Amino acid sequence: MTKRRLRWIWVSVFVVSMVVGAVVMRWPSFEVRAWTPPVMPPATGVRAINKKLVQVDLLGNDTMVEPEDTTVDAKGSVYGGCVDGRIWRVDRAGKAQVFADTKGRPLGLAFGTGGLLYVADAMKGLLSVSPQGQIQTLATHYKGKSFGLIDDLDVDKNGNIYFSDASLLVRGGRSLDVRADLLSHVPTGRLFRYNAKTKKLSLLLDKLFFANGVAVSRDQTYVLVTETATYKIRRYWIKGPKKGTSEIFARNLRGFPDNINRSSDGGFWVGLTSSRLGHVDKWIHPRVWMKKLLLTLPKGLLPKPKKISLVIKLDAH
């Protein structure tokens, strides 16, 4: 055997050892479950793809980076929380200015009574912001344990704040890597209620698959929470004969449901972050070993989501 060939053998052994070692070191320590997703419905009829979002108007400016949720105040100004912690306000004339800075990652936004803006901040917890921009922390823990990833919220007419804690596998930060939760198929998401008057925090639902967007119905009888990891939306009844129970409101969506907001006619607008990947549903989700292997790889080597924006409209029933 020549020295050159021997050298290449040793190099190959070294490279393979490094790769195997890296995989072993990064092998998930948390539970990962197999799952067979439902077959994605075809993009036909009311689900047909169109280009209506191409016609939207751009608000704000280039310094508003990655705004998550939006809300509107009584004067018609639009608010959006950005990745650098700043909450921007864009008035009806299109002028943009910083309203507040949480120093965290503001996600969900919703106005309550007295002009208070409530904020679901992935890093800071549940916050309120006065009309003057003063920030107050309302909740960061439940039963002595900090929230994982506060995501979205909505407020009812009685001052109750309903908010989601998306996952206990993903900790809130400015750069969110949610693949551990989306691939594990272990439900750790939760839905909470915080009463602004009594300061009482209540757990309404747990074992949700990445609890995300939250919206209270116009008649105040139920609250919706999206389960991003399983392409569905769950309804929790807060009034009436079904009070305290939950059920599936919408299932087998064509994409990953994110934020949800009540529409002017009592229905709901739902934003889908991207369309589903057919090969992931068919080949990866049913195989635990494949999902674990993917979780060891750098993010850049993972299957890329389709860069397409989807918005769907659902009625109240």
Side-chain angles (χ1 to χ4, degrees), residues 26-33 149 166-171 176-188 209-210 229 285 288 291-292 294-297 299 302:
R26 295 171 60 90
W27 198 255
S29 59
F30 50 85
E31 182 182 7
V32 177
R33 299 176 184 173
L149 172 58
S167 169
L168 295 178
L169 289 177
V170 181
R171 291 293 168 177
L176 297 176
D177 184 357
V178 301
R179 57 180 173 167
D181 191 284
L182 298 184
L183 287 175
S184 72
H185 198 66
V186 176
T188 63
F209 292 93
F210 202 86
H285 271 304
V288 172
K291 293 202 284 188
K292 287 186 175 182
L294 283 177
L295 288 169
T296 68
L297 301 178
K299 191 174 181 179
L302 292 177

Side-chain angles (χ1 to χ4, degrees), residues 43 45-57 307-311:
V46 295
R47 300 187 183 90
I49 303 298
N50 58 62
K51 296 184 179 180
K52 292 182 179 180
L53 289 182
V54 176
Q55 306 169 14
V56 300
D57 296 323
K307 293 184 178 180
I308 180 172
S309 297
L310 302 172
V311 177

Side-chain angles (χ1 to χ4, degrees), residues 104-267:
R105 179 53 173 116
L107 297 176
L109 306 173
F111 276 100
T113 58
L116 282 176
L117 176 64
Y118 293 106
V119 182
D121 192 295
M123 298 170 64
K124 301 295 184 177
L126 181 64
L127 312 174
S128 68
V129 186
S130 72
Q132 294 74 37
Q134 297 174 327
I135 299 172
Q136 180 180 358
T137 300
L138 303 180
T140 59
H141 297 71
Y142 177 68
K143 291 187 175 181
K145 295 184 178 181
S146 61
F147 298 127
L149 172 58
I150 300 298
D151 200 306
D152 196 22
L153 53 74
D154 199 6
V155 185
D156 70 13
K157 295 179 181 178
N158 295 321
N160 291 303
I161 306 164
Y162 298 87
F163 67 94
S164 59
D165 185 14
S167 169
L168 295 178
L169 289 177
V170 181
R171 291 293 168 177
R174 287 199 171 94
S175 179
L176 297 176
D177 184 357
V178 301
R179 57 180 173 167
D181 191 284
L182 298 184
L183 287 175
S184 72
H185 198 66
V186 176
T188 63
R190 299 176 291 180
L191 177 67
F192 288 94
R193 175 172 57 207
Y194 179 85
N195 187 289
K197 297 178 182 178
T198 65
K199 300 182 180 180
K200 180 181 178 180
L201 178 65
S202 304
L203 174 65
L204 303 182
L205 288 174
D206 60 3
K207 297 181 180 180
L208 300 175
F209 292 93
F210 202 86
N212 204 326
V214 176
V216 177
S217 64
R218 184 166 65 176
D219 64 5
Q220 308 284 286
T221 60
Y222 63 85
V223 58
L224 298 182
V225 55
T226 63
E227 292 188 78
T228 303
T230 49
Y231 324 130
K232 66 177 182 282
I233 302 172
R234 184 171 293 275
R235 168 163 51 191
Y236 178 86
W237 292 95
I238 54 180
K239 290 183 180 179
K242 294 184 179 180
K243 180 180 178 181
T245 65
S246 70
E247 62 197 17
I248 302 301
F249 182 79
R251 68 179 74 237
N252 199 17
L253 301 175
R254 283 189 52 83
F256 296 87
D258 197 325
N259 284 345
I260 180 169
N261 289 283
R262 189 171 55 253
S263 62
S264 58
D265 62 2

